[in-house]
Amino acid sequence: MNRFVRSLAVSAALFAASLLPVHAELDAIALKKAIETSIASDYPKLDALYKELHAHPELAFQEVKTAARLTAEMRALGFDVTENVGKTGLVAIYKNGDGPTIMVRTELDGLPMEEKTGLDYASRDKTTWMGREVFVAHSCGHDIHMASWVGTAKTLLGLKEQWKGTLMFIAQPAEEIVAGAKAMLEDGLFTRFPKPDFGFALHAYGTFAYGTVLYTVGAGSSTADGLYIKFRGRGGHGAMPQATIDPVMMAARFVVDVQSVISREKDPTEFGVVSIGTIHGGTAVNIIPDDVVLAGTIRSFKPEVRAKMLAGIERTAKAVAAMSNAPEPVITITEGTKAVINDPGVVATAEKVLKAAFGDKLRPIPPVTPSEDYSEFINAGVPSMFFRIGVYEPERVAAAREGEGPQLPANHSPLFAPVPKPTIETGIAAMTLAVLSAFDQKARHK
């Protein structure tokens, strides 16, 4: 099909979809076909964008080139774009008459790790992070999100006879360190710009097949708190431990004993995890140090579970020190990002349309355990739906689940490698339909 004929086909499909009455029941199947036709025309450019972003990731609050690239894309579509919101974030606004404001978020940042996928477009970029040189990789799927975000914006503009209101597309920095959403809010996201009536975000999910759309009602991710403990002892010679108070022993005992809070104090049917990620202490093999510092994360879904865990962690650390006749440890628990709580009404509205469009490929799933700072926007008063999309070939996913094939690399693995085309296509179709469902629902209840 030559470019002219393809363009006519896209225009015809979008025009046919636009003839659907705004206040009639959304014809999800017809809309999905129109969206797929539009994507087919646009995909070569989206593929190039995706691979460019994948090959050149940037870390949290360093996403200058990434943000500039997305700014150019959105301005070319006709959005009014404001840069440097929350340091490196951007806000793109498109007004289409009177109606609700609907926010769609993507993330900008990559991870400080080396990619080992062997892809032709694999990242080989390095940067300075925490005072040292590191590789950078999009091993969490934010490049998929960005390509889907741009594709959704273009598709919605092609269907603008189908909705009235304001699109607010935001590109958030520093999701990987759960700091970017807060930075944007503190920089006036909902005072300098309209406060959204509804919000949407998606995330690539490394254990499901492409073409699937996954959602939760209520809690969709965990609350994450930071844990810092300094065990204080009395240093000395490794050959004379009787003259010391050994903080290494205390730290080692705590790492093991704190897990009893999870296994014996918390309800075993409720989610809660304590993970110690770093332990630092000592300078030589024959010296017992004065102090040992450890740090980690505490994750949970429910406030009451979190409270029980925090109390148990503090009590365990103090008991470990007391057993060694040591000074009380320094314990700092830093309140982190909250759980993403999907709004039941927003989910129910989108679910109806997505079910009609995707059939049994739309699936409810339990909450996932990683954390996500989209919760900052929800807690600022934006009823939202945060959903996930699969990324791998269906046969590979099935083989892995049946134990007949290797386990698939999940998010944050150096081997994480989504299949771009069907993953991005699903992201655009699902997000476009979800946004249209919110516009439609608001129009019906004027």
Side-chain angles (χ1 to χ4, degrees), residues 113-279:
M113 61 185 292
E114 183 178 2
E115 179 176 352
K116 299 179 181 179
T117 62
L119 294 166
D120 292 342
Y121 51 90
S123 171
R124 297 173 181 83
D125 287 4
K126 294 181 180 180
T127 192
T128 300
W129 180 248
M130 306 289 285
R132 61 191 176 94
E133 186 179 64
V134 295
F135 284 96
V136 190
H138 269 306
S139 298
C140 195
H142 295 182
D143 46 355
I144 290 282
H145 308 168
M146 287 185 273
S148 300
W149 184 82
V150 171
T152 298
K154 188 175 189 308
T155 303
L156 283 166
L157 295 195
L159 292 167
K160 65 182 181 180
E161 295 302 317
Q162 187 65 31
W163 57 272
K164 298 296 180 185
T166 299
L167 295 175
M168 182 177 178
F169 274 56
I170 69 168
Q172 176 205 313
E175 188 280 328
E176 294 295 357
I177 62 170
V178 291
K182 187 176 181 180
M184 293 190 81
L185 289 167
E186 289 177 347
D187 199 16
L189 180 63
F190 294 158
T191 54
R192 295 165 57 190
F193 307 95
K195 184 174 181 180
D197 295 281
F198 307 106
F200 293 92
L202 61 76
H203 207 293
Y205 198 13
T207 56
F208 281 83
Y210 58 64
T212 54
V213 180
L214 313 150
Y215 70 100
T216 58
V217 180
S221 68
S222 70
T223 293
D225 296 300
L227 173 64
Y228 169 97
I229 300 176
K230 178 189 281 188
F231 286 105
R232 299 181 291 172
R234 183 171 65 239
H237 201 294
M240 297 184 290
Q242 75 280 6
T244 73
I245 297 176
D246 190 345
V248 176
M249 183 71 76
M250 287 186 271
R253 182 178 287 124
F254 173 82
V255 170
V256 175
D257 287 354
V258 76
Q259 296 306 323
S260 67
V261 174
I262 306 303
S263 64
R264 288 295 178 265
E265 297 185 32
K266 177 189 66 62
D267 183 337
T269 64
E270 299 289 356
F271 171 71
V273 169
V274 178
S275 295
I276 304 303
T278 68
I279 302 178

Side-chain angles (χ1 to χ4, degrees), residues 62-119:
Q62 296 180 10
E63 316 97 321
V64 176
K65 293 180 180 177
T66 304
R69 185 72 174 83
L70 293 192
T71 294
E73 290 286 338
M74 299 302 276
R75 281 181 176 155
L77 292 176
F79 280 76
D80 181 12
V81 182
T82 302
E83 299 176 83
N84 304 315
V85 180
K87 297 184 180 178
T88 47
L90 63 90
V91 178
I93 301 289
Y94 189 96
K95 296 181 179 179
N96 184 35
D98 294 330
T101 296
I102 297 183
M103 182 178 79
V104 179
R105 185 211 72 167
T106 189
E107 315 95 305
L108 294 167
D109 57 327
L111 288 159
M113 61 185 292
E114 183 178 2
E115 179 176 352
K116 299 179 181 179
T117 62
L119 294 166

Side-chain angles (χ1 to χ4, degrees), residues 288-341:
I288 293 172
D290 284 328
D291 306 312
V292 170
V293 171
L294 56 78
T297 61
I298 309 159
R299 298 178 191 269
S300 57
F301 291 145
K302 294 184 177 180
E304 60 270 26
V305 173
R306 175 178 178 269
K308 182 176 285 292
M309 289 170 59
L310 298 189
I313 290 165
E314 183 171 351
R315 188 181 65 252
T316 301
K318 290 179 178 179
V320 163
M323 288 173 64
S324 295
N325 197 29
E328 195 167 275
V330 177
I331 304 169
T332 303
I333 295 174
T334 305
E335 186 173 322
T337 189
K338 299 295 189 295
V340 169
I341 306 296

